[in-house]
Amino acid sequence: MKLHADALGALDPRISGPAYDRSKLTPGIVHVGLGNFHRAHQAVYLDDLFARGLGHDWAICGAGVRAPDGRMREALAAQDYLSTVIELDPSGPRPRIIGAMVDFCPVDPANGPLIARMADPATRIVSLTVTEGGYYVDATTGTFDPTHPDIVADGASPEAPKTVFGAIVAALKARHAAGLPPFTVMSCDNIPGNGEVTRDAVAGTARLSDPGFADWIAANVAFPNSMVDRITPATGDGERALAREFGLDDPVPVTCEPFRQWVLEDNFPQGRPPLEEVGVTFTDHVHDYERMKIRILNGGHAIIAYAGALLGCEFADDAMAHPLVSAFLRKVETDEILPHVDPVPEFTPPEYLQLIEGRFANPAVKDTIRRLCLDGSNRQPKFIVPSIADGLRKGTSVEGLALESALWCRYCAGSFEDGTTIAPNDPNWEALTELAAQARETPALWLAQRAVYGEIQGNGGFEESFARWLDMIWSQGARRSIETYLNG
């Protein structure tokens, strides 16, 4: 059965559908970046809220600025903007149909429809999931890069922007000219201080064409920080087949773990949906939650990813079932990451580690190791390097993190230990593969990546540890290297 609004009454009884009248919803949020995570996270929270009879003027209008966004619009428009979300509980899958989205802006090269929708008075929040690498941050400085060609182009043609940040600037300017208050810009990406990072990107883009308006944005537009969490695998044939098991013909179903968490700074001058009613935590201490999640969970993904890949694991639960990988995760986290993480009201760091170990080991999720290995050049500086920097600064062990870095380097060499080629898995894959080959003889070249290693570049102690582990991985293999680390 094709998924569409008229089919909701004929769903398999195992599928829960929207428990509200979608015709009564009106959009108040424009969300840019309609990937799987948004549809398994923010859209689910809003679906729960609408089912309680609350916030019906906060429905989602989807949007995007890239070609894949246009393909997603076509797929979702064909099913009346409904999404299949299947929670992968070990006891069995739990499918539901999410109805929180009611429209999707046409994806246009000049972003005219997007700008018009954001400029509409009904839009009070613009939210983003544009990936960790989508904020134009110069990794060597950790700040917004106004020299990136995309941003320079928006500065030269602010009336026809190519980036989401240029589009936001144009919409804010249109609202300001019309005497309308600015919308709130809410990042939902895994970036430390994502609110500040987004403010810098929007104001920084505006500064190239109108410095005065850039100052106005910085002073008047709200950019709340947030922490978001839910493991959401990529959609492939297996996920589509699972949807068909419930009688649904959906080309873009979403699967996800049962766990979800959303922590938000309460900074919404034009109002917000009452998301605290459905489990969202509003706090002035988002950074504490964010640090715990990024260091322990996202860093943990990196720890099991490259070790698991080189030891032949296909899925995250396979890696957790491998005694060396799970022990490697536990030791690195306990000795080298947890000491630099503060507790939050819900969890101490050891309790949170125990939680994520169980989440990683969920056999129903089937999160691929390849997905976890993706885009290391953007993820390592955010999820791993800060823990290395803390350890070096405080004089605590970083041996396991040095081994993790060496495993990443070996993975980027482009072949598994049996000689099988690793398909490109990073935007910078070609350059990384060449550098990894050079690093086999001269390890310091790998750590010379200023964009990745930043402040720890040139640290002699870390360079020595990294070189020792990389040499052992090449000469004796990943298995022996991890065993050596675990045996002290």
Side-chain angles (χ1 to χ4, degrees), residues 344-363:
V344 297
E346 292 86 348
F347 305 107
T348 65
E351 289 169 342
Y352 189 72
L353 174 59
Q354 185 175 11
L355 171 68
I356 69 134
E357 286 175 326
R359 293 168 62 193
F360 288 0
N362 184 338

Side-chain angles (χ1 to χ4, degrees), residues 364-447:
V365 172
K366 295 302 175 191
D367 200 8
T368 66
I369 288 295
R370 179 171 171 80
R371 186 187 81 87
L372 301 186
C373 290
L374 173 69
D375 201 14
S377 61
N378 269 309
R379 294 179 174 183
Q380 290 280 312
K382 297 175 178 69
F383 303 154
I384 291 292
V385 172
S387 293
I388 298 172
D390 280 348
L392 292 174
R393 190 162 43 247
K394 298 177 182 178
T396 58
S397 173
V398 292
E399 282 294 321
L401 293 169
L403 174 54
E404 187 278 340
S405 292
L407 290 165
W408 174 49
C409 178
R410 173 63 184 85
Y411 178 86
C412 290
S415 64
F416 293 109
E417 292 181 351
D418 65 0
T420 305
T421 298
I422 299 173
N425 203 21
D426 192 287
N428 303 315
W429 186 254
E430 186 175 341
L432 289 172
T433 300
E434 181 179 349
L435 188 59
Q438 297 170 354
R440 183 172 182 177
E441 300 299 327
T442 312
L445 290 175
W446 187 259
L447 299 182

Side-chain angles (χ1 to χ4, degrees), residues 131-347:
T131 78
E132 296 90 354
Y135 287 78
Y136 299 95
V137 173
D138 181 343
T140 62
T141 64
T143 59
F144 175 69
D145 179 10
T147 67
H148 191 284
D150 293 350
I151 300 301
V152 171
D154 279 5
S157 302
E159 71 288 346
K162 304 298 185 185
T163 74
V164 64
F165 304 113
I168 289 172
V169 171
L172 287 170
K173 185 165 282 193
R175 292 175 74 107
H176 187 54
L180 295 172
F183 46 73
T184 296
V185 184
M186 178 178 70
S187 170
C188 297
D189 280 300
N190 280 318
I191 299 175
N194 57 10
E196 287 97 342
V197 170
T198 308
R199 178 199 60 214
D200 292 347
V202 174
T205 301
R207 197 167 302 283
L208 296 182
S209 59
D210 190 337
F213 193 65
D215 292 338
W216 182 88
I217 289 172
N220 293 280
V221 180
F223 296 88
N225 289 296
S226 71
M227 188 280 282
V228 295
D229 190 9
R230 191 171 214 184
I231 296 172
T232 310
T235 294
D237 291 341
E239 288 70 27
R240 285 183 278 271
L242 181 58
R244 286 195 296 272
E245 290 181 17
F246 293 94
L248 292 173
D249 180 5
D250 183 347
V252 288
V254 179
T255 60
C256 55
E257 65 171 334
F259 179 89
R260 55 185 155 108
Q261 187 179 21
W262 194 1
V263 182
L264 265 171
E265 184 179 16
D266 200 354
N267 182 17
F268 294 84
Q270 305 311 316
R272 62 167 175 82
L275 290 164
E276 66 274 16
E277 298 293 335
V278 288
V280 175
T281 299
F282 286 91
T283 177
D284 293 331
H285 303 287
V286 171
H287 293 308
D288 291 338
Y289 288 87
E290 169 190 271
R291 185 184 187 91
M292 176 175 283
K293 189 260 181 176
I294 286 177
R295 299 287 188 96
I296 299 176
L297 185 143
N298 296 107
H301 267 155
I303 292 166
I304 69 170
Y306 304 109
L310 294 173
L311 292 176
C313 301
E314 183 178 3
F315 299 106
D317 62 296
D318 296 335
M320 294 303 293
H322 194 298
L324 288 182
V325 180
S326 56
F328 181 46
L329 173 70
R330 164 66 62 154
K331 183 171 174 59
V332 177
E333 291 270 18
T334 301
D335 294 353
E336 304 181 26
I337 295 178
L338 267 60
H340 313 302
V341 176
D342 293 326
V344 297
E346 292 86 348
F347 305 107

Side-chain angles (χ1 to χ4, degrees), residues 445-465:
L445 290 175
W446 187 259
L447 299 182
Q449 296 180 85
R450 179 71 178 169
V452 175
Y453 291 101
E455 66 178 286
I456 70 171
Q457 182 188 18
N459 183 282
F462 186 74
E463 285 187 351
E464 188 278 329
S465 296

Side-chain angles (χ1 to χ4, degrees), residues 306-307 310-311 322-325 328 403 406-407 410 417 468-488:
Y306 304 109
L310 294 173
L311 292 176
H322 194 298
L324 288 182
V325 180
F328 181 46
L403 174 54
L407 290 165
R410 173 63 184 85
E417 292 181 351
R468 175 167 30 83
W469 287 123
L470 186 62
D471 179 68
M472 179 177 285
I473 292 167
W474 277 113
S475 61
Q476 300 182 46
R479 177 181 294 272
R480 178 61 180 152
S481 301
I482 295 170
E483 288 174 344
T484 299
Y485 169 70
L486 293 174
N487 291 330

